[in-house]
Amino acid sequence: PVDKDGGRQVDWIELYNGSLTSFPLGSSNHEWRLRAVSAGVGDRAVTNEYKFPLTAFFLRGSHLLVFCSTNVHSELGSYYTGWKLSGDGGTLSLINDGGTEVDRVVYSAQQPNVSFSRYRDGLPAFVFNPFPSPGEANPVNGRSEPAAKFSGVDPATFQPGQPIRFFATVRD
């Protein structure tokens, strides 16, 4: 659950301004956007865009949360996309007011209740983070626990003195 969203459990995107300057994300002269493209192929890929509100201003060194939810809670502000992130993976892009992509994140299928974040704010490396910190600095929390799913064995390999072949999916 995210405190800034009234304790609701929703998908969210956190932006971090690591530059030395503050700047508007939305005004009559500026129109920054977030673009999300799901991992589907061809017609199955879905593209959604979110335009920052006219009052959006990005302070240097600050974190900005955008909530990816079809439920818009206007009492908490206008940082709601109106769409959800794909749990199967996809691409997120930050597009500046000139239409140039300034940041891109390609993410794989997500794990329940685990965030996918930069190892530390502003660094290029991403990790699965079991202890997300929405709206705050990304601390090093250690690794997510590995997950293993046993899928079965190959009965044809049951021969005396021979290795047995088994099938599993492991994620760390």
Side-chain angles (χ1 to χ4, degrees), residues 3 23 42 62 66 68 79 97 103-104 125 131 146 156-157:
D3 290 341
F23 53 92
S62 70
V66 177
C68 299
Y79 293 99
D97 56 343
D103 199 5
R104 172 186 279 224
F131 305 105
T157 62

PDB file of all heavy atoms in Angstrom, residues 3 23 42 62 66 68 79 97 103-104 125 131 146 156-157:
ATOM      1  N   ASP A   3       1.214   5.146   1.007  1.00  0.00           N
ATOM      2  CA  ASP A   3       0.667   6.179   1.885  1.00  0.00           C
ATOM      3  C   ASP A   3       0.104   7.366   1.095  1.00  0.00           C
ATOM      4  O   ASP A   3      -0.961   7.877   1.405  1.00  0.00           O
ATOM      5  CB  ASP A   3       1.729   6.680   2.861  1.00  0.00           C
ATOM      6  CG  ASP A   3       2.097   5.640   3.904  1.00  0.00           C
ATOM      7  OD1 ASP A   3       1.305   4.693   4.110  1.00  0.00           O
ATOM      8  OD2 ASP A   3       3.184   5.760   4.497  1.00  0.00           O
ATOM      9  N   PHE A  23      12.286  22.013 -13.008  1.00  0.00           N
ATOM     10  CA  PHE A  23      11.652  22.409 -14.261  1.00  0.00           C
ATOM     11  C   PHE A  23      10.194  21.968 -14.282  1.00  0.00           C
ATOM     12  O   PHE A  23       9.807  21.030 -13.587  1.00  0.00           O
ATOM     13  CB  PHE A  23      12.403  21.835 -15.475  1.00  0.00           C
ATOM     14  CG  PHE A  23      12.607  20.354 -15.422  1.00  0.00           C
ATOM     15  CD1 PHE A  23      11.682  19.489 -16.003  1.00  0.00           C
ATOM     16  CD2 PHE A  23      13.719  19.809 -14.796  1.00  0.00           C
ATOM     17  CE1 PHE A  23      11.878  18.122 -15.956  1.00  0.00           C
ATOM     18  CE2 PHE A  23      13.916  18.441 -14.747  1.00  0.00           C
ATOM     19  CZ  PHE A  23      12.987  17.594 -15.332  1.00  0.00           C
ATOM     20  N   GLY A  42       2.665  -7.398 -31.656  1.00  0.00           N
ATOM     21  CA  GLY A  42       1.735  -6.963 -32.700  1.00  0.00           C
ATOM     22  C   GLY A  42       0.513  -6.293 -32.133  1.00  0.00           C
ATOM     23  O   GLY A  42       0.615  -5.338 -31.366  1.00  0.00           O
ATOM     24  N   SER A  62      14.185  15.609  -6.247  1.00  0.00           N
ATOM     25  CA  SER A  62      12.908  15.123  -5.698  1.00  0.00           C
ATOM     26  C   SER A  62      12.433  13.848  -6.391  1.00  0.00           C
ATOM     27  O   SER A  62      12.904  13.484  -7.461  1.00  0.00           O
ATOM     28  CB  SER A  62      11.832  16.207  -5.822  1.00  0.00           C
ATOM     29  OG  SER A  62      11.475  16.391  -7.175  1.00  0.00           O
ATOM     30  N   VAL A  66       3.588   8.686  -9.798  1.00  0.00           N
ATOM     31  CA  VAL A  66       2.452   8.669 -10.704  1.00  0.00           C
ATOM     32  C   VAL A  66       1.778   7.318 -10.488  1.00  0.00           C
ATOM     33  O   VAL A  66       2.431   6.275 -10.547  1.00  0.00           O
ATOM     34  CB  VAL A  66       2.904   8.824 -12.171  1.00  0.00           C
ATOM     35  CG1 VAL A  66       1.713   8.718 -13.106  1.00  0.00           C
ATOM     36  CG2 VAL A  66       3.642  10.142 -12.371  1.00  0.00           C
ATOM     37  N   CYS A  68      -0.653   4.279 -11.399  1.00  0.00           N
ATOM     38  CA  CYS A  68      -1.183   3.585 -12.576  1.00  0.00           C
ATOM     39  C   CYS A  68      -2.422   2.827 -12.148  1.00  0.00           C
ATOM     40  O   CYS A  68      -2.347   1.691 -11.687  1.00  0.00           O
ATOM     41  CB  CYS A  68      -0.127   2.655 -13.154  1.00  0.00           C
ATOM     42  SG  CYS A  68       1.333   3.552 -13.695  1.00  0.00           S
ATOM     43  N   TYR A  79      -2.228  12.938 -10.339  1.00  0.00           N
ATOM     44  CA  TYR A  79      -1.169  12.073 -10.841  1.00  0.00           C
ATOM     45  C   TYR A  79      -1.660  10.629 -11.009  1.00  0.00           C
ATOM     46  O   TYR A  79      -1.078   9.692 -10.489  1.00  0.00           O
ATOM     47  CB  TYR A  79       0.062  12.145  -9.932  1.00  0.00           C
ATOM     48  CG  TYR A  79       0.719  13.502  -9.990  1.00  0.00           C
ATOM     49  CD1 TYR A  79       0.473  14.458  -9.012  1.00  0.00           C
ATOM     50  CD2 TYR A  79       1.572  13.825 -11.035  1.00  0.00           C
ATOM     51  CE1 TYR A  79       1.067  15.705  -9.084  1.00  0.00           C
ATOM     52  CE2 TYR A  79       2.168  15.065 -11.112  1.00  0.00           C
ATOM     53  CZ  TYR A  79       1.908  16.009 -10.130  1.00  0.00           C
ATOM     54  OH  TYR A  79       2.499  17.245 -10.210  1.00  0.00           O
ATOM     55  N   ASP A  97       9.005  17.750 -23.425  1.00  0.00           N
ATOM     56  CA  ASP A  97       8.077  18.642 -24.119  1.00  0.00           C
ATOM     57  C   ASP A  97       8.403  18.812 -25.601  1.00  0.00           C
ATOM     58  O   ASP A  97       7.567  19.250 -26.371  1.00  0.00           O
ATOM     59  CB  ASP A  97       8.017  20.001 -23.424  1.00  0.00           C
ATOM     60  CG  ASP A  97       9.372  20.662 -23.295  1.00  0.00           C
ATOM     61  OD1 ASP A  97      10.403  19.980 -23.440  1.00  0.00           O
ATOM     62  OD2 ASP A  97       9.409  21.873 -23.043  1.00  0.00           O
ATOM     63  N   ASP A 103      14.188   9.063 -21.078  1.00  0.00           N
ATOM     64  CA  ASP A 103      14.503   7.885 -20.279  1.00  0.00           C
ATOM     65  C   ASP A 103      13.597   6.752 -20.729  1.00  0.00           C
ATOM     66  O   ASP A 103      12.458   6.977 -21.143  1.00  0.00           O
ATOM     67  CB  ASP A 103      14.313   8.155 -18.787  1.00  0.00           C
ATOM     68  CG  ASP A 103      15.050   7.148 -17.899  1.00  0.00           C
ATOM     69  OD1 ASP A 103      15.780   6.290 -18.433  1.00  0.00           O
ATOM     70  OD2 ASP A 103      14.890   7.228 -16.680  1.00  0.00           O
ATOM     71  N   ARG A 104      14.132   5.537 -20.656  1.00  0.00           N
ATOM     72  CA  ARG A 104      13.387   4.348 -21.066  1.00  0.00           C
ATOM     73  C   ARG A 104      13.736   3.215 -20.119  1.00  0.00           C
ATOM     74  O   ARG A 104      14.895   3.004 -19.797  1.00  0.00           O
ATOM     75  CB  ARG A 104      13.756   3.961 -22.487  1.00  0.00           C
ATOM     76  CG  ARG A 104      13.177   2.616 -22.913  1.00  0.00           C
ATOM     77  CD  ARG A 104      13.701   2.231 -24.263  1.00  0.00           C
ATOM     78  NE  ARG A 104      12.917   2.945 -25.249  1.00  0.00           N
ATOM     79  CZ  ARG A 104      12.450   2.397 -26.358  1.00  0.00           C
ATOM     80  NH1 ARG A 104      12.734   1.153 -26.635  1.00  0.00           N
ATOM     81  NH2 ARG A 104      11.731   3.080 -27.191  1.00  0.00           N
ATOM     82  N   ALA A 125      21.387   0.594 -13.323  1.00  0.00           N
ATOM     83  CA  ALA A 125      21.044  -0.800 -13.025  1.00  0.00           C
ATOM     84  C   ALA A 125      19.710  -0.902 -12.279  1.00  0.00           C
ATOM     85  O   ALA A 125      19.421  -0.112 -11.383  1.00  0.00           O
ATOM     86  CB  ALA A 125      22.144  -1.441 -12.195  1.00  0.00           C
ATOM     87  N   PHE A 131      11.404  -4.412  -0.713  1.00  0.00           N
ATOM     88  CA  PHE A 131      11.033  -3.366   0.247  1.00  0.00           C
ATOM     89  C   PHE A 131      11.003  -2.013  -0.450  1.00  0.00           C
ATOM     90  O   PHE A 131      11.902  -1.200  -0.281  1.00  0.00           O
ATOM     91  CB  PHE A 131      12.013  -3.335   1.424  1.00  0.00           C
ATOM     92  CG  PHE A 131      12.157  -4.668   2.110  1.00  0.00           C
ATOM     93  CD1 PHE A 131      13.291  -5.442   1.921  1.00  0.00           C
ATOM     94  CD2 PHE A 131      11.157  -5.152   2.922  1.00  0.00           C
ATOM     95  CE1 PHE A 131      13.428  -6.671   2.536  1.00  0.00           C
ATOM     96  CE2 PHE A 131      11.278  -6.384   3.536  1.00  0.00           C
ATOM     97  CZ  PHE A 131      12.411  -7.143   3.344  1.00  0.00           C
ATOM     98  N   PRO A 146      14.904 -15.989  -3.706  1.00  0.00           N
ATOM     99  CA  PRO A 146      14.728 -16.747  -4.939  1.00  0.00           C
ATOM    100  C   PRO A 146      13.408 -17.509  -4.907  1.00  0.00           C
ATOM    101  O   PRO A 146      12.903 -17.855  -3.849  1.00  0.00           O
ATOM    102  CB  PRO A 146      15.925 -17.700  -4.962  1.00  0.00           C
ATOM    103  CG  PRO A 146      16.378 -17.789  -3.545  1.00  0.00           C
ATOM    104  CD  PRO A 146      15.998 -16.497  -2.884  1.00  0.00           C
ATOM    105  N   ALA A 156      12.185 -40.859 -19.185  1.00  0.00           N
ATOM    106  CA  ALA A 156      13.104 -41.574 -20.077  1.00  0.00           C
ATOM    107  C   ALA A 156      14.529 -41.562 -19.531  1.00  0.00           C
ATOM    108  O   ALA A 156      15.365 -42.357 -19.957  1.00  0.00           O
ATOM    109  CB  ALA A 156      13.067 -40.950 -21.468  1.00  0.00           C
ATOM    110  N   THR A 157      14.822 -40.677 -18.596  1.00  0.00           N
ATOM    111  CA  THR A 157      16.182 -40.603 -18.040  1.00  0.00           C
ATOM    112  C   THR A 157      16.358 -41.507 -16.826  1.00  0.00           C
ATOM    113  O   THR A 157      17.422 -41.499 -16.218  1.00  0.00           O
ATOM    114  CB  THR A 157      16.539 -39.151 -17.664  1.00  0.00           C
ATOM    115  OG1 THR A 157      15.638 -38.686 -16.656  1.00  0.00           O
ATOM    116  CG2 THR A 157      16.473 -38.231 -18.873  1.00  0.00           C
TER     117      THR A 157
END
